[in-house]
Amino acid sequence: MASEDVVSERRESAVSTIVNLAEEASEGVKAPSHALLSICKSLVAGGVAGGVSRTAVAPLERLKILLQVQNPHSIKYNGTMQGLKYIWRTEGLRGLFKGNGTNCARIVPNSAVKFFSYEQASQYAKLFSFHHIFIYFVHSGILWLYRQQPGKEDAQLTPLLRLGAGACAGIIAMSATYPMDMVRGRLTVQTEKSPRQYRGIYHALSTVFKEEGPRALYRGWLPSVIGVVPYVGLNFAVYESLKDYLLQTNPFGLVEDNELSVTTRLACGAAAGTIGQTVAYPLDVIRRRMQMVGWKGASSVIVGEGRSKAPLEYTGMVDAFRKTVRYEGFGALYKGLVPNSVKVVPSIAIAFVTYEVVKDVLGVEMRISD
């Protein structure tokens, strides 16, 4: 009898163990599904936030580009308020948002990943994007190739190679979407009275490709590449310096538990972004002007050479700088800077508020990884 009781207890124990394992397995199957749903909701919230914030400041973005490339001998846009009123009066509500669709097509996926990464890595107070993810993969690829050399199986990349990996990744990522940015500039500049009209993104891409050749889709690429260096470098340096200063001095009680609040970090990011954009802004002006070269129907909008209203033909970036300063003065390199700076803070604020609202509506958990 005793032996039968022992066998019975062992059987019950085994059955109980199997049941527990089955329940754990069932929970394990449900968990990834729940996590995947939360991830999708967070990505949707981030994408919506990016689209809404860009749309909210689209009139300022369009005015900035118009100020950058307008003919100096036929001034239509003279300042932020006057420019916005002129667009409203001559083109109506739709005119304020021209080119926004192309811009959102570029920004929405990037914003989705950026906000999701922010949610998952908020303890580091960083915002990641496709650019950062791409850098990671390029860095890993170069490291793998580096370790294939004899005697370097466990080696790490040198600072120089890391810099090269980051630069290569940034250039490739920017180059992949540059044609879309190029046609966005032209879609933004054209008006109802323009001799030639692009009907949309695809029509603009195909028309430029057929009439001006594939190289035309990359006009202004060089100043874009060069402009990334001061913008990213200053952005990071100013942000980290401001953050360290606030953590050390704690003015107005902004530091809590040795951490800065989200609002304070956003303010630091906005200040750093504004400084970085201001320094790199002349390169952005030159990029936009080079993008317009070869567009036959835009002579009424594009800058004119000397006293002539014929469109400029730049032979390169240096030539574009030289002609811009020669015929319009050094201040022309900062045309559109005011609306560009004004849109920084509201764009960031609207993006974060929209993200939180959409996240609450979708029922996204604050920390998916928990």
Side-chain angles (χ1 to χ4, degrees):
M1 290 291 294
S3 61
E4 291 179 359
D5 291 339
V6 171
V7 171
S8 178
E9 289 178 359
R10 288 179 177 176
R11 286 177 179 173
E12 292 177 357
S13 177
V15 171
S16 177
T17 301
I18 292 173
V19 170
N20 291 335
L21 289 173
E23 290 178 349
E24 291 177 2
S26 176
E27 292 176 359
V29 171
K30 292 178 181 178
S33 176
H34 175 70
L36 180 61
L37 181 61
S38 297
I39 290 172
C40 290
K41 288 180 178 180
S42 184
L43 288 172
V44 169
V48 172
V52 170
S53 65
R54 288 288 173 157
T55 302
V57 298
L60 291 170
E61 178 67 19
R62 188 187 181 211
L63 178 61
K64 179 199 77 171
I65 297 176
L66 287 169
L67 287 169
Q68 287 178 333
V69 302
Q70 76 170 335
N71 192 320
H73 311 299
S74 180
I75 299 295
K76 296 179 180 179
Y77 312 98
N78 188 17
T80 304
M81 293 305 299
Q82 182 275 335
L84 292 173
K85 289 178 181 178
Y86 183 83
I87 295 172
W88 172 269
R89 188 172 65 254
T90 57
E91 301 181 62
L93 182 63
R94 290 184 60 185
L96 294 171
F97 295 91
K98 276 191 176 177
N100 185 54
T102 313
N103 199 23
C104 286
R106 294 169 52 250
I107 294 300
V108 167
N110 182 72
S111 179
V113 174
K114 182 169 65 176
F115 274 96
F116 171 71
S117 301
Y118 171 77
E119 196 70 72
Q120 293 297 290
S122 59
Q123 67 269 30
Y124 301 110
K126 294 180 180 178
L127 293 176
F128 299 98
S129 63
F130 281 137
H131 175 75
H132 297 90
I133 294 172
F134 194 78
I135 287 178
Y136 170 77
F137 281 113
V138 172
H139 178 276
S140 300
I142 293 178
L143 179 60
W144 180 82
L145 292 173
Y146 189 60
R147 288 178 174 176
Q148 299 308 303
Q149 302 179 31
K152 296 184 178 180
E153 290 77 8
D154 299 320
Q156 296 295 324
L157 291 181
T158 63
L160 184 60
L161 282 176
R162 285 198 189 96
L163 180 62
C168 289
I171 292 171
I172 294 172
M174 184 272 295
S175 300
T177 59
Y178 191 82
M180 190 174 290
D181 180 72
M182 189 270 189
V183 299
R184 177 176 79 94
R186 293 194 175 186
L187 285 168
T188 300
V189 165
Q190 72 179 8
T191 65
E192 299 298 334
K193 297 180 180 180
S194 297
R196 289 291 301 276
Q197 290 285 322
Y198 294 125
R199 296 191 295 270
I201 301 173
Y202 177 76
H203 181 253
L205 286 170
S206 59
T207 301
V208 173
F209 184 86
K210 292 176 183 177
E211 296 184 357
E212 303 176 45
R215 289 184 61 184
L217 293 172
Y218 285 89
R219 286 199 181 107
W221 177 83
L222 182 58
S224 297
V225 172
I226 298 174
V228 168
V229 178
Y231 174 72
V232 174
L234 278 172
N235 204 346
F236 178 78
V238 173
Y239 177 81
E240 291 297 326
S241 298
L242 282 174
K243 190 177 71 172
D244 292 342
Y245 171 77
L246 293 175
L247 287 173
Q248 292 173 7
T249 60
N250 189 22
F252 310 108
L254 296 174
V255 181
E256 297 179 4
D257 299 327
N258 203 32
E259 288 290 338
L260 296 175
S261 66
V262 174
T263 304
T264 305
R265 293 202 302 268
L266 287 177
C268 292
T274 301
I275 294 173
Q277 285 183 359
T278 301
V279 173
Y281 194 78
L283 289 162
D284 187 57
V285 172
I286 296 303
R287 170 174 68 110
R288 288 297 177 198
R289 294 192 170 198
M290 291 180 69
Q291 287 175 350
M292 303 299 154
V293 172
W295 189 15
K296 298 177 182 178
S299 59
S300 62
V301 179
I302 304 173
V303 295
E305 183 172 3
R307 290 296 169 184
S308 170
K309 294 184 179 181
L312 273 175
E313 291 296 334
Y314 302 121
T315 58
M317 182 183 69
V318 175
D319 184 52
F321 266 110
R322 182 179 62 81
K323 287 181 178 178
T324 298
V325 174
R326 178 181 177 183
Y327 297 122
E328 301 176 58
F330 184 79
L333 297 175
Y334 286 91
K335 284 185 174 180
L337 179 62
V338 173
N340 184 66
S341 300
V342 169
K343 70 182 178 68
V344 172
V345 174
S347 177
I348 295 174
I350 292 170
F352 271 86
V353 170
T354 304
Y355 177 69
E356 293 297 330
V357 171
V358 175
K359 192 174 65 173
D360 290 341
V361 171
L362 296 177
V364 182
E365 295 180 6
M366 283 299 294
R367 291 297 306 276
I368 298 170
S369 60
D370 289 346

